[in-house]
Amino acid sequence: MSVDQAVERAVELAGRDGRTVLGIAGAPGAGKSTLARRVVVAVDAALGAGTAVQVPMDGFHLSNAALDALGRHDRKGAIDTFDGEGYVALVRRLVAADAVDHARGPVVWAPDFDRRVDEPVAGSIAVPATTRLVVSEGNYLLDDTEPWATLADLFTETWFCSVDDGVRVDRLVGRHMRHGRDHEAARDWAVEVDGVNAARVAPTVIRASRTVRT
């Protein structure tokens, strides 16, 4: 489906009774975060401010200090550089919150990722019990290894962002340059590091509820 169709679908999901937890997967640079932000803005415009909240999987990046200790800083973004168990536990809490009294239920606090310092930031995103649509995006939401495979039964729907590889790599190069790398280093990372992760993510499209052309 197109991005416009995806937005329409999100508004429909948010209008249902209870909470919807939507997962948006795809390779690095596929446009997951951009789509998630657009969905949240459109849903809030249609149904009222605070109806939707974006909760990125990137908040579960291991810290740079932890990656240094593990010898994995040069492969940041690979599946083993995330706290997968922690992310799955958060998604469980977000789903379970639908069963509580929406007038008095607890706020679920989620971590965010600050690209300016390239670090996760705990307790940054508030998800009140009244939130109708939670949009969570990340590379590995459709991976079939544990603990990631558990997510398929937790999300209401999972969407896969599809984009031409050339466009995707150009987006990544631009992103890495905005965060301090020169062009050569940015392209090397986009191809050699992000490219390995993209190869892992690509086959997971078969497990998505829907594919969005981004």
Side-chain angles (χ1 to χ4, degrees), residues 59 70 73 125 153:
L70 293 168
H73 202 157
I125 301 170
D153 294 326

Side-chain angles (χ1 to χ4, degrees), residues 166-183:
V167 173
R168 186 183 60 76
V169 171
D170 285 347
R171 289 175 181 171
L172 288 170
V173 171
R175 177 193 300 173
H176 296 321
M177 290 180 68
R178 287 192 298 275
H179 292 94
R181 291 187 172 95
D182 63 29
H183 184 270

Side-chain angles (χ1 to χ4, degrees), residues 13-207:
L13 290 170
R16 294 179 175 180
D17 291 337
R19 171 175 287 178
T20 292
V21 183
L22 171 65
I24 301 180
K32 303 179 295 297
S33 297
T34 301
L35 176 60
R37 286 193 294 270
R38 181 165 173 181
V39 161
V40 168
V41 168
V43 168
D44 279 2
L47 301 176
T51 302
V53 174
Q54 181 179 356
V55 176
M57 187 199 86
D58 277 359
F60 288 85
H61 268 288
L62 299 182
S63 70
N64 289 329
L67 293 175
D68 287 338
L70 293 168
R72 293 293 286 163
H73 202 157
D74 63 344
R75 285 296 180 264
K76 187 170 185 174
I79 196 167
D80 65 320
T81 65
F82 291 88
D83 175 13
E85 294 282 0
Y87 177 69
V88 171
L90 174 67
V91 175
R92 286 189 191 280
R93 290 182 65 199
L94 294 170
V95 171
D98 184 43
V100 305
D101 182 342
H102 285 185
R104 295 178 296 177
V107 173
V108 175
W109 287 94
D112 201 355
F113 186 78
D114 189 340
R115 291 191 181 278
R116 294 168 299 179
V117 295
D118 201 34
E119 290 275 19
V121 183
S124 298
I125 301 170
V127 186
T130 51
T131 301
R132 302 291 297 280
L133 176 68
V134 179
V135 185
S136 189
E137 86 286 351
N139 295 347
Y140 305 113
L141 308 192
L142 295 167
D143 200 87
D144 62 357
T145 61
E146 295 298 337
W148 307 94
T150 308
L151 294 168
D153 294 326
L154 297 176
F155 290 123
T156 308
E157 286 189 3
T158 49
W159 298 351
F160 188 93
C161 291
S162 175
V163 65
D164 292 338
D165 264 352
V167 173
R168 186 183 60 76
V169 171
D170 285 347
R171 289 175 181 171
L172 288 170
V173 171
R175 177 193 300 173
H176 296 321
M177 290 180 68
R178 287 192 298 275
H179 292 94
R181 291 187 172 95
D182 63 29
H183 184 270
E184 182 178 0
R187 187 159 190 88
D188 285 347
W189 190 279
V191 173
E192 296 176 12
V193 179
D194 293 327
V196 172
N197 303 333
R200 176 168 187 143
V201 171
T204 69
V205 64
I206 62 172
R207 288 186 283 281

